[in-house]
Amino acid sequence: MRVGFIGLGNVGAKLSGSLLRNGFDVMVRDTDKDVAAALMEQGAVWADSGRALAEVCDVIITCLPSPVVSAKVLEEENGVLEGISEGKIWLEMSTTEAEDVQRLGALVEAKGGIAMDSPVSGGCHRASTGNIAIFTGGKREAFEKVLPLLSTMGREIVHTGKLGSASVLKVITNYLAGVQLLSTGEAFMVAKKAGIDLAVAYEAIRVSSGNSFVHETEGQLILNGSYNINFTMDHEVKDVTLFDDLAKSYDVPVELSPVCVSAMEDGLKRYGPRVWSSQVVKRLEDDCGMDLRAPGFPEYLTDHEPEEKGAEVVVTFRASYE
């Protein structure tokens, strides 16, 4: 099975690296060929166009920054769609909207291909070790075909249902992470104002009902002051806005979501689009004239768990696969 990988950013380079490290035949493409250099040294082959990549690969993976970019990569002249033929699988690993992936999926299927959405969740540090979580939407038989790839790139793989369902769940989980990031910053600031050692506060929250994945990961980077989560503020604003728009489209009267979007937009306005998303907590630090530093916390996250082959998560009470 030959795999084509388009989009070698913070996440894409790590996912494609996992495939190479585990013996897969990988072809790569990005707008910047220089970012592919390390992967090519490991055996990856460069593709001069999306069409050229799709023509020779069995599975075409896209891992791109926005729905607009994904659409361009597929639909442009010499793009992926021009190289799609019978039986080829397009695996969309970008964070996108269900409607976008379904529209593009219909174009793929019209050419005899198979479309799946397969975003990841869990942070760049886990993507680098093949231990990240992966959601995948699409037909069950197609899911079973790509499971060897998915279980190489990720640890826990969830077949979410029909095409587009994985993208919905990815937007939902990103929104939850955004809310938890804001609440983590507020909790730390209240603890500090109350005179509590922030290292103690961190551990107390970690072992309590108030714990979250964001607290255990981004919380450490806030206390260090690096904020270096390898995810930028512009993407954070995009993600929480995707959720807010999704909720509105279903007439769900959400209350926390607009507050979250407003806070993230203010962070972007204050600090710029390319700062790390965790820096949204700096708003509180600036407004209170007090930082949230504590000694001993890491500058960046490292996944200390050994790389293991992933597996599908069994959903005990699943009603159906569609």
Side-chain angles (χ1 to χ4, degrees):
M1 179 184 291
R2 192 172 206 187
V3 184
F5 207 108
I6 302 176
L8 307 176
N10 286 332
V11 174
K14 295 174 177 62
L15 296 176
S16 53
S18 289
L19 292 174
L20 285 166
R21 189 168 61 251
N22 286 280
F24 282 91
D25 183 5
V26 180
M27 177 174 274
V28 295
R29 179 159 179 78
D30 192 273
T31 53
D32 180 4
K33 189 173 182 179
D34 289 343
V35 302
L39 295 169
M40 291 168 70
E41 288 177 3
Q42 297 172 55
V45 176
W46 177 257
D48 288 326
S49 69
R51 175 179 179 171
L53 181 144
E55 285 177 340
V56 299
C57 292
D58 304 296
V59 178
I60 299 95
I61 299 174
T62 47
C63 188
L64 299 160
S66 73
V68 172
V69 177
S70 287
K72 180 182 178 183
V73 164
L74 263 72
E75 296 181 288
E76 67 185 350
E77 185 178 354
N78 282 321
V80 168
L81 277 173
E82 292 186 12
I84 293 287
S85 58
E86 190 74 27
K88 291 182 182 289
I89 297 174
W90 170 51
L91 196 64
E92 169 64 294
M93 299 193 80
S94 317
T95 298
T96 188
E97 296 172 310
E99 289 184 1
D100 287 298
V101 78
Q102 288 165 347
R103 181 185 72 81
L104 293 170
L107 298 177
V108 169
E109 290 169 359
K111 300 199 69 176
I114 301 165
M116 309 189 77
D117 56 331
S118 195
V120 300
S121 183
C124 285
H125 65 298
R126 292 182 69 80
S128 65
T129 56
N131 288 330
I132 203 164
I134 303 178
F135 305 152
T136 303
K139 294 178 181 177
R140 180 67 195 182
E141 55 269 32
F143 173 79
E144 291 174 356
K145 286 182 180 179
V146 298
L147 187 56
L149 296 177
L150 300 176
S151 59
T152 297
M153 293 184 285
R155 173 76 69 87
E156 295 179 296
I157 321 299
V158 182
H159 182 212
T160 57
K162 65 183 179 180
L163 179 66
S165 60
S167 295
V168 170
L169 283 167
K170 170 64 172 174
V171 167
I172 289 170
T173 58
N174 279 4
Y175 162 68
L176 288 170
V179 171
Q180 291 160 11
L181 174 58
L182 295 173
S183 64
T184 294
E186 291 180 353
F188 282 157
M189 185 56 74
V190 171
K192 181 155 186 177
K193 287 268 192 175
I196 295 172
D197 183 322
L198 288 179
V200 174
Y202 174 84
E203 293 298 339
I205 294 169
R206 186 186 63 80
V207 302
S208 76
S209 59
N211 193 31
S212 69
F213 179 82
V214 170
H215 172 73
E216 289 197 14
T217 56
E218 295 186 60
Q220 296 191 68
L221 304 177
I222 292 166
L223 295 177
N224 173 274
S226 75
Y227 308 104
N228 188 358
I229 196 59
N230 266 310
F231 191 74
T232 53
M233 192 75 77
D234 53 349
H235 291 311
E236 182 70 38
V237 170
K238 177 203 73 173
D239 285 356
V240 295
T241 301
L242 282 174
F243 175 84
D244 200 59
D245 291 343
L246 182 66
K248 289 174 182 175
S249 74
Y250 288 113
D251 296 321
V252 178
V254 288
E255 297 177 279
L256 293 178
S257 177
V259 175
C260 183
V261 171
S262 178
M264 296 301 181
E265 288 178 339
D266 185 51
L268 185 148
K269 182 179 179 180
R270 291 199 201 191
Y271 309 119
R274 304 306 294 170
V275 302
W276 302 125
S277 58
S278 300
Q279 197 164 329
V280 71
V281 172
K282 193 173 186 298
R283 295 164 60 249
L284 271 180
E285 296 178 306
D286 290 348
D287 291 349
C288 293
M290 182 179 289
D291 68 42
L292 294 172
R293 303 294 84 78
F297 286 91
E299 181 180 356
Y300 54 88
L301 296 174
T302 302
D303 184 13
H304 296 292
E305 293 185 37
E307 181 173 4
E308 292 184 8
K309 186 174 178 61
E312 180 182 0
V313 173
V314 177
V315 181
T316 305
F317 303 110
R318 181 190 288 274
S320 71
Y321 285 102
E322 295 296 331

